[in-house]
Amino acid sequence: MIERIDTGVRSSKIVKHNGVAYITGQVGEGETIQAQTEECLRRLDGLLVQAGSSRKQMLRATIWLADMSDFAGLNEVWNVWVPEGHAPARACGEAKLARPELKVEIIVDAAYE
């Protein structure tokens, strides 16, 4: 069975199937990569809880940066947010994001109970 949560015309915020919650990409507001990453991760926290999951159950994270020169700033925030011993598989690349002011987008897949 597939469960879709907060489904709109274009996408669902969460799709759950076979023990995995697929969470739509999140972005954040702010002038710096750190501020945008913090907001993005706050939003992901809420969606993980809504999916019946948590940071400790993350399986994979895909991170898009508008500019790879922000990699160190992203990691400053990311490394504090991820619970020790529970880092997901992760990919990080550079991409043109949906709006010019965006610096980061993070997509997470997580196990749920």
Side-chain angles (χ1 to χ4, degrees):
M1 182 175 125
I2 298 172
E3 179 184 357
R4 299 175 199 283
I5 299 170
D6 288 339
T7 300
V9 175
R10 190 172 309 130
S11 68
S12 298
K13 290 201 178 183
I14 303 167
V15 176
K16 296 170 72 173
H17 175 66
N18 222 17
V20 178
Y22 304 90
I23 298 174
T24 195
Q26 295 299 300
V27 298
E29 304 297 322
E31 295 299 316
T32 66
I33 186 63
Q34 291 89 345
Q36 286 195 18
T37 302
E38 287 170 358
E39 176 64 22
C40 179
L41 296 176
R42 275 194 294 276
R43 292 176 183 184
L44 281 169
D45 274 333
L47 290 169
L48 284 165
V49 168
Q50 190 176 1
S53 189
S54 70
R55 294 181 200 177
K56 289 184 175 181
Q57 293 173 284
M58 290 188 299
L59 302 171
R60 178 176 54 185
T62 304
I63 302 172
W64 296 114
L65 291 171
D67 187 331
M68 285 303 292
S69 69
D70 284 329
F71 188 69
L74 159 79
N75 284 329
E76 286 175 28
V77 178
W78 176 265
N79 293 345
V80 172
W81 184 77
V82 174
E84 187 173 336
H86 297 278
R90 187 181 111 160
C92 185
E94 184 175 282
K96 186 171 183 175
L97 300 179
R99 297 189 318 266
E101 66 273 14
L102 295 176
K103 296 179 182 295
V104 61
E105 181 172 357
I106 303 176
I107 304 157
V108 168
D109 302 332
Y112 67 90
E113 309 198 12

